[in-house]
Amino acid sequence: MGHWHSTRDLLARTGDDWALRTARSQVIACVDLDAENVRAWRQEEPHHPDALMLWARTLTEGVLTAGRRGTVPYDVVERARRACGNASQAYPADPVPWVCQLALTALDTDPMNPHRPHHWGRTQDPMLPRGPWQLLDQVHARHPEGSREAFLRMYQCLHARRYGALDFACWANQVAPEGSPVLPLVLHAYAALARERLGNGQIGNTLGFWQDSQVVYYTERARDHWFRKLSDPEAAPLTDLNHLAYALSATGLSGAAEVFEAIGPYATPAPWEGLSIGGDWIHDFHTARRGALRRWR
């Protein structure tokens, strides 16, 4: 922190590896929410494309963090959106500013008072919900291999609006190519649905939920078409690995042990914490892990 030269060099080394650039910039922005590092960088190099991108990233993460605590003033959201626009103009090929704009749509939840009309656009498939499809298209045009974060942000937007999030996640799973980082997103959606049903008392436990044929189908797809296609499973996003490990354990499908091996000691609260019946999610993780490894060996 405070050494912006190392930040600049780190981002420069990502080149046009958009997945790596997207991930690194998000981590840096989350650590530097006060923006001290990037502010110092912008003072020295105000027109550097990476400085402008990271400034947009930092403002976006700050707005989203504030949004989880309560209502964010519209002008604060607009400030972050303008920073995204400036970053995109400075480096048109970069998908990250568009990912940030997509992330900000999670705060645009009132269709009677939209921040932007295109946040509520329609797509060619009438079965899919209205949403910021134009922004997703902008990311895809720059990152055609599939931006994991862009699809996750789109899902979060629809989830915040409480309409169409699961439909979107299932559609994304179907259209994603082999090995795509988008494939596990549907497991996030099913975990959120199970957590919601637990919270409102619709179900007393999730045993029956994970035996549903559709849930089993998409869990198999995430295992076979994503995890088993990875050249380096240990480098996969930990939250995705943890969602897959949970889903495989809960459905009783094979393959959980290999996923736990890839996770190593790095359990993530999601999805375990929100789906814990007893309240001790770490215990639940270790119990599932021991069971999977015992069956494997």
Side-chain angles (χ1 to χ4, degrees):
M1 296 302 297
H3 299 284
W4 60 266
H5 288 87
S6 60
T7 302
R8 180 187 61 189
D9 296 344
L10 183 67
L11 289 173
R13 288 199 297 273
T14 63
D16 60 358
D17 184 337
W18 301 125
L20 185 60
R21 180 179 176 84
T22 302
R24 283 185 174 176
S25 62
Q26 185 183 21
V27 171
I28 294 169
C30 288
V31 171
D32 191 26
L33 280 178
D34 293 331
E36 293 181 5
N37 196 29
V38 67
R39 188 177 287 111
W41 184 5
R42 287 179 68 236
Q43 288 176 350
E44 295 294 328
E45 298 182 341
H47 305 297
H48 196 293
D50 287 355
L52 292 172
M53 179 276 290
L54 196 56
W55 178 245
R57 249 307 190 191
T58 305
L59 291 182
T60 297
E61 291 297 335
V63 167
L64 295 176
T65 299
R68 288 189 282 270
R69 300 175 184 145
T71 304
V72 181
Y74 179 74
D75 62 326
V76 175
V77 180
E78 282 300 293
R79 183 190 182 208
R81 189 172 289 116
R82 285 194 300 272
C84 294
N86 293 336
S88 183
Q89 289 178 5
Y91 190 2
D94 187 4
V96 175
W98 295 98
V99 171
C100 292
Q101 287 202 52
L102 196 51
L104 292 170
T105 63
L107 302 174
D108 189 359
T109 58
D110 184 359
M112 303 305 294
N113 186 30
H115 292 184
R116 290 284 190 281
H118 63 262
H119 291 178
W120 298 82
R122 297 188 182 278
T123 186
Q124 293 180 349
D125 189 336
M127 300 302 292
L128 291 172
R130 296 168 60 189
W133 293 97
Q134 288 185 20
L135 296 177
L136 186 63
D137 289 344
Q138 290 285 356
V139 178
H140 186 70
R142 293 161 173 80
H143 189 177
E145 297 82 7
S147 170
R148 173 188 179 273
E149 186 182 346
F151 278 82
L152 180 60
R153 296 300 192 181
M154 182 78 169
Y155 165 78
Q156 289 171 342
C157 168
L158 298 173
H159 186 264
R161 297 175 182 179
R162 304 189 66 80
Y163 181 75
L166 179 58
D167 291 338
F168 168 75
C170 291
W171 169 84
N173 183 281
Q174 290 294 318
V175 300
E178 290 275 307
S180 170
V182 174
L183 283 161
L185 174 63
V186 68
L187 302 183
H188 292 243
Y190 275 124
L193 180 60
R195 184 172 64 248
E196 181 180 315
R197 290 182 178 178
L198 274 176
N200 61 25
Q202 284 183 267
I203 54 177
N205 60 63
T206 62
L207 294 178
F209 178 92
W210 293 100
Q211 302 309 311
D212 180 88
S213 60
Q214 282 289 96
V215 179
V216 171
Y217 167 76
Y218 282 110
T219 301
E220 288 178 324
R221 278 186 55 82
R223 178 195 63 192
D224 297 341
H225 298 280
W226 172 65
F227 179 76
R228 289 181 173 168
K229 302 296 182 182
L230 296 173
S231 59
D232 183 8
E234 293 183 10
L238 283 169
T239 52
D240 291 348
L241 290 173
N242 275 265
H243 274 84
L244 179 57
Y246 185 97
L248 290 171
S249 299
T251 57
L253 292 168
S254 62
E258 296 97 318
V259 181
F260 277 114
E261 285 286 286
I263 291 171
Y266 304 110
T268 60
W272 307 94
E273 186 174 30
L275 298 174
S276 177
I277 303 298
D280 187 349
W281 70 267
I282 296 178
H283 175 267
D284 294 346
F285 171 85
H286 284 297
T287 299
R289 180 187 176 95
R290 283 195 299 270
L293 294 177
R294 185 166 53 248
R295 290 189 295 272
W296 189 32
R297 293 166 179 165

